[in-house]
Amino acid sequence: MMGMKAKRKWAAILIAILFLIVCFIMLFPLYYLFLASFKSSKDLFRYGMDFRINLELMSLDNYRLLFSANNGMYLHWYKNSLLIVILYTAGSLFLSSLVGYALGAYRFRGQNFLFILVLVVMMMPLEILMLPLYKLTVQMRIINTYSGVILPFLVSPIAVFFFRQFVTGLNKEFIDAGRIDGCTEFGIFFRIMAPLMAPAFGAMGILLAMQNWNSLVWPLIVLRTNNMFTLPIGLSSLLTPYGNNYDMLIPGSVLATIPIILFFLFNQRAFISGLTSGGIKG
Amino acid sequence: MRYGPNTATDRNSLKKLLYSRKLAPYLFASPFILTFLIFFLYPTFSTIVMSFQELTGLNNAKFIGLDNYKRLFDVHFYNALKTNTLYTLLSILLLIPIPLLFAVLLNLAFVRGKNFFRAAIFLPALTSVIVAGVSFRLMFGELDTALINSLLIKMGLPPQNWSLNYWTGMMLMVILNLWRHAGINMVYYLAGLQTIPEELYESAEIDGAGPVQKFFTITLPLLKPIMIYTVTVAIFEGYRMFGESYVFWNESMPGDIGLTIVRYIYQQAFQRNDLGFGSAIGITLLVIVLAINLAQLKFFGFFKKDSDS
Amino acid sequence: MRRINILILTMLLVLMAVLSGCTGDGGSTSSTNQPSDSPRETQKSSESSKPAAPVALNLWTFNELHKTYYEKTAELWNQTHPDQPINLTVESYPNAEMHNKLLIALQSGVGAPDVVDINVNFFSNFLKGDIQLVELNDLVAPEKDKFVQSRFDIYSKDGKIYGTPFHVGATVVYYNKEIMDQAGVNPDAIKTWADFIEAGKKVVVATGKPMTAFEVTNQRPFWPMIVQQGSDYLDKNGDVILDNETNIRTLNAMHDMIYKDKIAIPMPGGDTTKEEFFTFMNQGEMGALIMPMWYMSRFLSYMPDLEGKIIVRPMPVWKDGDSRSAGMGGTGTAVTKQSKNQEAAMQFLAFAKLTREANIRIWQELKFDPPRWDVWDAPELQQPDPYFGNEAVFNTLLQMKDEIKSPNMGELITAAQDLVNSSVMFKALKDQSQTPEQALKAAAEELRKQK
């Protein structure tokens, strides 16, 4: 047993070193961007890729510019993105998990067919659907609204797929136990299986939030006024053929990652790391 | 029991119907069916029709039969297909095992700093690919003074013309992809790992199984559903890739280096104002990706009735 | 059971919130029945009490500098036309995406703006089939002769003008005076490309640095170099002449400048938009850059160490009779047929792009070379520029005012540029997998096969 403990200790140290290296690689490009957000665009490329911390060249000017430029439009973009992502993630988690649960926990006619439909939707390139989808949203009078951005993609096939996979890996005895106890099917879903699906909610919550937070193509087609734009639209309009507005783009993007980082950290605590194996064993 | 109207039994049967075991899956799946019918079926049908047309202006669509499809298969399409296929293969090679390894290691009970590492590895996924591109373009510049090249030189290796050579260009896209998505796949695997009961490992240990054995006999098989998921997603994201190529080659692609199918669609549909042709390309892409994924799923026994995947 | 009910309720609330279409401030947008935009006050009209109600105009652009310019123009309009007030809203979108969105809007008949900036590279797309842009000939006619003519031609079809230019985009040579002095080269003495090569050799010997660089993922200076000789990718009828004698000869000369005369290199980073190139140029690694005038803003933004060292001179010529410049790039501003206020939109357009004052502002606010040559000797444009060698840069342009040609913009022009950008330049000048002749011929063949 002593050999085991020592082995474990060495393994832990090696693993920690490995991950430190990996983290360094992962974070380095972001570190550069973080530094760059404090530099004026004049100095950004003067000396090539400069990742030394050079306090004379760094200042908060870019960030001030971000909040004052364009009548504080950045804040509008931020607000729109936040509202849309919250509504979307909540709605999509609920609906997609429901569908995924259906596909994974039951055996019913048309199951495979339905699943193939899910796959087809997942793999359809949005680009070729844009024109008809645009006409549809105009007809439904949801152009330039949050609904227009959210509704067409509210049931996310990727999440449906993931939930389905996850559910198939769970122990079905709980469902039977629930039925014996007289629970309705909905009840079984909400009270018994959903808590077991917590890690899946965690993973999909982050994925859906992330995809929605960064999504550019469809919101750009649907939204038409400046104060409705989301962050990706606003920020990428800073890239022009006559030069990029790095002064706003980089700090704008740095700040844009904050909510999603916070969500991820919250997510980790609530779903992934906090899960005891109690629910599974019992 | 009486079988008249408004009896308790009838209310019960109604309730039974709504809450019935048989109906439940259909009810649960109804959100998907609804959005599918409203937001997907009609536009898709429209697009398929468009692919047989040439759109010459407002409400002016000329039916041209299979012409779009006939001229689809030219050298640029094959180049794009080749690029996507290589990219997908290379990505799968890296993006499945590496995050799995990370997830397994991070899941071990005795590892410290889990939360920090998880967050750090995941962080790149949260950034916009366009902005991360600024970093990557500079790091992988072609001059000797660019970061990666200068490191290569220090190690005695030749500096590369990163974005101006087919293979190095391909590596660039795969590296960017790996950097951004390793964290995501890792999170999926971590979620899957949570469902594996501790006792299985414990009893395997008692039976004398080492870590590697435990991994291959317990972890891997039980993670199969999640792995099928990540492979499927990797395939279709690989074929739909746009951002990783746009970052390095945004206005022009020397020798079609960064030409992916989706960029080809944009080029033809929008930049050449030929929405009909673009639709044809898109439909073809859908068929290809669907075929590959269905084959892959069947291969892994996805559709077997008694399978647990 | 209660927990489920609460959950269902919350979800329903969420869905209701979604379905009620939460819009932004002053959310009149979701309830409008028209797809065209609702008026929004983005600036306060300065003078009060107008008899007429303000006309709402909506404008799309892909450059936020243009946005600022237009908003200021609207203010000026309202000051000078108090009886015809307008309410201008400007949206700025990313370049490629804006054109996608515009195409969708025009194709579906719904949602297009009144006025729109269209990048010259995409302009020919909107001149196909049923043209959804308004003809501007009558609007332009009174002032047309004061403009560099070719800048209207690029936005025209069959003699009808559909867009108004923002700039000339005259290609010039930016010499790094410091390097020229080091090598004992006088840029004013460089009249022909042969002179340029000679000077280049001196520069290489004296400083070890290349004289210039050629884009390999884009088409400069190849395109200006052939246009100045009267050649092009397409001829006036839109037919492909990409592989004609002149072009082959020119590309060969460029190839030799890199590999034989050794005075040029393939551009680091591939083209002039790359960050790597900014560093390279800023650190004085190159003697001269051949680019349009609108590149000046990049110098000012990203290359501070070159301040005072850059002077602007005309392009050298290949032979007598060549022009010394070619107009590259461009933004054509158009009025769409979906506009419900076409007359007002056109008037605003004229005010924003065609007047003398507007053109002076184009230089002052956007640092573009305005397309009206009669303002080039205005005092505002004659001020010496401290960055550019303390000279009045427009004197260079004034010398060439009648020579500046612009490329022919036929239907195949987008495809032609794509091919040049993505294969010809790269294959001929960078990886040398094809000779210039082979590369041009292959591209031309492919072009001819397209409809």
Side-chain angles (χ1 to χ4, degrees):
Chain A
M1 273 302 110
M2 219 168 43
M4 194 56 154
K5 268 222 185 101
K7 257 208 299 195
R8 290 246 158 127
K9 205 167 142 221
W10 273 114
I13 294 181
L14 278 175
I15 292 179
I17 295 183
L18 168 70
F19 275 108
L20 276 173
I21 299 180
V22 169
C23 286
F24 179 74
I25 298 177
M26 288 293 180
L27 295 180
F28 181 74
L30 300 178
Y31 162 73
Y32 170 73
L33 287 174
F34 181 69
L35 280 187
S37 71
F38 295 103
K39 297 189 185 156
S40 107
S41 59
K42 277 211 175 76
D43 299 318
L44 265 184
F45 308 114
R46 262 176 122 159
Y47 311 111
M49 191 180 192
D50 189 3
F51 37 82
R52 298 160 301 180
I53 302 187
N54 198 337
L55 283 174
E56 298 124 31
L57 293 178
M58 290 166 56
S59 73
L60 284 176
D61 285 345
N62 285 349
Y63 285 94
R64 283 196 207 108
L65 177 69
L66 199 59
F67 293 115
S68 59
N70 229 337
N71 293 324
M73 198 48 76
Y74 182 72
L75 291 168
H76 279 287
W77 298 340
Y78 219 97
K79 177 200 76 174
N80 291 329
S81 278
L82 272 178
L83 284 176
I84 289 182
V85 84
I86 293 176
L87 291 172
Y88 175 77
T89 308
S92 189
L93 269 183
F94 174 55
L95 294 176
S96 308
S97 62
L98 212 50
V99 181
Y101 175 75
L103 288 176
Y106 294 90
R107 297 255 170 269
F108 60 96
R109 284 232 339 231
Q111 188 173 24
N112 277 345
F113 173 68
L114 204 56
F115 181 69
I116 294 188
L117 282 186
V118 172
L119 282 186
V120 172
V121 176
M122 194 164 77
M123 299 187 209
M124 173 65 89
L126 170 62
E127 293 73 23
I128 59 175
L129 289 182
M130 280 199 307
L131 179 58
L133 210 46
Y134 173 75
K135 285 199 213 169
L136 186 63
T137 40
V138 168
Q139 280 167 2
M140 290 176 71
R141 307 234 195 280
I142 51 177
I143 212 81
N144 206 34
T145 64
Y146 288 176
S147 315
V149 175
I150 296 177
L151 282 182
F153 306 104
L154 194 54
V155 179
S156 158
I158 261 199
V160 168
F161 188 7
F162 186 82
F163 279 115
R164 179 207 185 278
Q165 296 304 89
F166 195 85
V167 165
T168 55
L170 293 179
N171 197 333
K172 304 294 189 299
E173 292 171 0
F174 295 109
I175 304 185
D176 297 328
R179 289 201 184 110
I180 294 175
D181 278 355
C183 268
T184 65
E185 298 298 307
F186 261 126
I188 295 178
F189 175 68
F190 277 121
R191 300 174 79 194
I192 302 180
M193 296 313 272
L196 291 180
M197 288 159 69
F201 278 106
M204 281 301 110
I206 262 293
L207 177 76
L208 292 172
M210 214 173 67
Q211 278 186 343
N212 183 277
W213 185 253
N214 284 329
S215 98
L216 175 66
V217 178
W218 179 245
L220 195 145
I221 300 285
V222 171
L223 298 172
R224 300 170 51 76
T225 53
N226 233 320
N227 64 341
M228 287 294 288
F229 284 175
T230 56
L231 276 171
I233 303 178
L235 289 177
S236 45
S237 68
L238 296 173
L239 300 159
T240 81
Y242 295 106
N244 304 335
N245 188 346
Y246 295 106
D247 285 327
M248 278 178 67
L249 177 66
I250 301 187
S253 313
V254 167
L255 283 186
T257 53
I258 294 186
I260 207 79
I261 292 178
L262 289 176
F263 182 56
F264 176 71
L265 292 175
F266 160 75
N267 214 308
Q268 283 204 105
R269 196 162 306 164
F271 292 113
I272 297 189
S273 51
L275 183 76
T276 61
S277 34
I280 310 245
K281 271 199 220 153
Chain B
M1 284 184 198
R2 287 172 38 224
Y3 293 84
N6 284 328
T7 56
T9 347
D10 263 8
R11 275 199 297 277
N12 269 338
S13 346
L14 187 60
K15 231 185 170 191
K16 263 210 191 117
L17 191 67
L18 280 180
Y19 288 143
S20 93
R21 202 171 133 171
K22 279 222 165 127
L23 203 52
Y26 296 100
L27 275 180
F28 287 12
S30 62
F32 173 73
I33 300 178
L34 266 176
T35 48
F36 177 81
L37 289 175
I38 302 178
F39 291 108
F40 188 79
L41 199 53
Y42 160 66
T44 305
F45 181 68
S46 251
T47 301
I48 296 183
V49 168
M50 266 204 295
S51 72
F52 294 111
Q53 296 175 325
E54 183 188 335
L55 272 65
T56 52
L58 185 58
N59 298 326
N60 246 352
K62 199 171 71 177
F63 183 73
I64 56 172
L66 285 175
D67 275 1
N68 282 333
Y69 288 97
K70 283 196 203 134
R71 71 177 170 103
L72 184 59
F73 298 99
D74 67 350
V75 69
H76 291 299
F77 180 71
Y78 285 129
N79 276 343
L81 202 55
K82 181 175 94 167
T83 303
N84 276 101
T85 307
L86 272 175
Y87 172 83
T88 305
L89 279 174
L90 288 172
S91 292
I92 290 185
L93 267 173
L94 294 176
L95 262 184
I96 306 289
I98 296 182
L100 181 59
L101 181 64
F102 288 170
V104 167
L105 286 179
L106 277 186
N107 201 39
L108 293 172
F110 53 85
V111 172
R112 300 295 170 80
K114 270 191 251 200
N115 284 340
F116 169 73
F117 289 136
R118 253 200 308 257
I121 296 180
F122 193 77
L123 204 50
L126 304 173
T127 55
S128 134
V129 70
I130 303 293
V131 180
V134 175
S135 259
F136 273 80
R137 279 197 296 270
L138 284 172
M139 279 166 42
F140 286 92
E142 58 180 82
L143 295 173
D144 286 354
T145 48
L147 185 67
I148 302 291
N149 274 348
S150 60
L151 286 176
L152 285 177
I153 293 179
K154 284 208 185 105
M155 300 197 303
L157 296 167
Q160 300 292 332
N161 267 327
W162 290 100
S163 63
L164 295 173
N165 260 329
Y166 192 83
W167 281 105
T168 51
M170 176 66 65
M171 274 179 65
L172 267 184
M173 293 194 288
V174 174
I175 291 176
L176 183 55
N177 190 23
L178 181 63
W179 179 76
R180 291 191 76 232
H181 293 112
I184 301 184
N185 278 3
M186 186 185 74
V187 165
Y188 292 151
Y189 292 135
L190 276 172
L193 285 174
Q194 304 294 333
T195 64
I196 303 181
E198 269 301 301
E199 306 104 19
L200 285 182
Y201 288 123
E202 283 163 16
S203 48
E205 264 177 40
I206 293 177
D207 284 349
V212 174
Q213 246 181 320
K214 277 192 286 182
F215 177 74
F216 280 103
T217 53
I218 302 178
T219 317
L220 218 46
L222 286 178
L223 271 187
K224 189 169 169 203
I226 305 290
M227 293 200 65
I228 291 186
Y229 171 80
T230 50
V231 170
T232 309
V233 169
I235 290 179
F236 93 82
E237 298 241 313
Y239 278 95
R240 284 232 308 232
M241 185 264 288
F242 177 84
E244 280 78 4
S245 130
Y246 192 72
V247 153
F248 294 109
W249 304 283
N250 73 339
E251 284 206 5
S252 49
M253 297 154 282
D256 278 355
I257 279 183
L259 188 70
T260 66
I261 302 184
V262 172
R263 294 194 72 176
Y264 188 51
I265 292 179
Y266 269 115
Q267 192 191 63
Q268 298 299 320
F270 293 100
Q271 287 169 28
R272 310 282 173 88
N273 192 357
D274 197 346
L275 287 162
F277 188 51
S279 303
I281 305 174
I283 301 285
T284 311
L285 172 65
L286 173 68
V287 168
I288 293 178
V289 176
L290 206 51
I292 296 182
N293 261 325
L294 284 176
Q296 169 262 128
L297 286 172
K298 204 153 189 325
F299 177 70
F300 285 114
F302 188 82
F303 293 109
K304 294 209 204 98
K305 274 228 179 290
D306 57 347
S307 86
D308 55 358
S309 61
Chain C
M1 245 354 203
R2 240 166 275 159
R3 249 185 70 189
I4 303 174
N5 287 339
I6 295 178
L7 246 146
I8 298 187
L9 260 172
T10 339
M11 294 307 174
L12 275 177
L13 277 172
V14 166
L15 278 176
M16 273 186 344
V18 166
L19 288 171
S20 68
C22 317
T23 58
D25 299 334
S28 49
T29 42
S30 64
S31 48
T32 46
N33 288 333
Q34 289 156 224
S36 59
D37 297 83
S38 49
R40 278 201 49 82
E41 305 273 340
T42 50
Q43 43 269 347
K44 319 142 196 74
S45 319
S46 37
E47 269 33 345
S48 55
S49 65
K50 291 146 229 26
V55 172
L57 289 181
N58 183 231
L59 190 150
W60 287 3
T61 182
F62 51 87
N63 186 344
E64 20 140 47
L65 291 177
H66 293 187
K67 176 171 183 305
T68 322
Y69 175 82
Y70 283 123
E71 285 171 345
K72 182 153 176 221
T73 308
E75 272 179 32
L76 290 173
W77 169 279
N78 283 331
Q79 281 172 13
T80 53
H81 300 75
D83 52 337
Q84 301 168 51
I86 62 169
N87 225 332
L88 183 72
T89 49
V90 181
E91 272 86 37
S92 168
Y93 295 99
N95 185 25
E97 286 79 1
M98 189 213 85
H99 295 91
N100 297 350
K101 197 174 155 97
L102 181 65
L103 198 63
I104 288 183
L106 290 177
Q107 280 281 355
S108 63
V110 149
D114 299 287
V115 185
V116 60
D117 276 348
I118 304 180
N119 193 319
V120 69
N121 291 337
F122 298 115
F123 209 89
S124 61
N125 275 343
F126 298 95
L127 298 179
K128 283 187 188 163
D130 241 343
I131 300 184
Q132 298 292 308
L133 307 174
V134 173
E135 289 167 32
L136 302 173
N137 293 54
D138 293 333
L139 189 71
V140 168
E143 311 280 357
K144 188 156 185 272
D145 53 347
K146 305 188 189 77
F147 279 79
V148 175
Q149 292 309 300
S150 61
R151 301 312 284 173
F152 278 113
D153 297 336
I154 53 181
Y155 306 119
S156 311
K157 186 170 181 180
D158 297 332
K160 308 203 181 97
I161 302 176
Y162 294 98
T164 58
F166 243 122
H167 61 62
V168 181
T171 310
V172 295
V173 185
Y174 297 94
Y175 290 101
N176 183 329
K177 191 98 180 24
E178 206 177 48
I179 296 183
M180 294 299 120
D181 290 340
Q182 262 188 297
V185 167
N186 177 10
D188 288 307
I190 301 180
K191 301 280 188 228
T192 66
W193 285 109
D195 296 337
F196 188 85
I197 296 178
E198 282 314 301
K201 290 185 182 163
K202 279 166 122 184
V203 165
V204 172
V205 163
T207 66
K209 299 179 181 161
M211 179 68 164
T212 189
F214 300 144
E215 287 183 324
V216 290
T217 53
N218 213 314
Q219 53 202 336
R220 295 165 295 231
F222 176 60
W223 209 5
M225 278 177 171
I226 60 174
V227 172
Q228 72 175 143
Q229 300 176 68
S231 178
D232 206 331
Y233 298 164
L234 309 172
D235 67 11
K236 282 231 172 312
N237 303 322
D239 295 323
V240 180
I241 53 170
L242 182 59
D243 53 352
N244 69 15
E245 283 255 356
T246 312
N247 298 352
I248 296 181
R249 210 182 330 122
T250 310
L251 196 53
N252 268 322
M254 286 173 72
H255 178 271
D256 289 345
M257 282 193 227
I258 300 181
Y259 296 104
K260 198 163 71 107
D261 307 301
K262 309 225 179 169
I263 59 146
I265 57 171
M267 192 164 285
D271 58 62
T272 54
T273 62
K274 296 293 192 294
E275 294 91 357
E276 201 177 6
F277 175 70
F278 302 151
T279 311
F280 182 75
M281 188 75 195
N282 182 55
Q283 296 184 331
E285 295 292 326
M286 195 167 92
L289 178 64
I290 308 159
M291 278 294 282
M293 286 276 287
W294 45 256
Y295 199 72
M296 286 169 83
S297 58
R298 295 280 215 316
F299 276 107
L300 294 166
S301 296
Y302 309 130
M303 302 182 233
D305 295 320
L306 293 178
E307 169 129 11
K309 300 182 191 162
I310 300 286
I311 58 174
V312 174
R313 291 289 180 273
M315 286 170 76
V317 295
W318 299 90
K319 59 184 186 310
D320 277 337
D322 289 344
S323 45
R324 284 173 295 167
S325 187
M328 292 284 132
T331 306
T333 315
V335 175
T336 68
K337 283 193 176 150
Q338 281 182 29
S339 169
K340 306 224 165 28
N341 296 297
Q342 283 180 28
E343 193 48 45
M346 285 173 35
Q347 291 304 315
F348 177 73
L349 187 58
F351 185 74
K353 310 285 287 283
L354 299 179
T355 67
R356 210 186 133 83
E357 296 74 25
N359 276 263
I360 295 181
R361 282 181 56 221
I362 286 178
W363 165 249
Q364 290 176 321
E365 294 171 30
L366 297 171
K367 275 285 187 281
F368 286 161
D369 44 347
R372 260 182 88 128
W373 50 259
D374 69 339
V375 310
W376 292 351
D377 53 6
E380 293 90 338
L381 278 77
Q382 282 292 317
Q383 281 176 8
D385 197 316
Y387 189 99
F388 293 97
N390 247 323
E391 299 178 338
V393 278
F394 277 94
N395 287 333
T396 307
L397 231 54
L398 273 168
Q399 299 172 37
M400 313 190 286
K401 83 171 202 319
D402 295 316
E403 299 172 40
I404 306 177
K405 300 196 171 102
S406 290
N408 294 322
M409 293 284 167
E411 270 198 21
L412 289 173
I413 197 60
T414 316
Q417 289 183 69
D418 276 343
L419 279 169
V420 173
N421 290 348
S422 68
S423 6
V424 175
M425 299 307 290
F426 185 73
K427 291 193 178 141
L429 296 183
K430 178 75 184 180
D431 75 356
Q432 299 187 79
S433 56
Q434 286 178 325
T435 69
E437 174 159 0
Q438 288 170 335
L440 285 169
K441 284 217 184 302
E445 283 313 304
E446 194 181 323
L447 265 184
R448 289 191 183 103
K449 281 199 226 134
Q450 306 211 7
K451 324 183 266 99

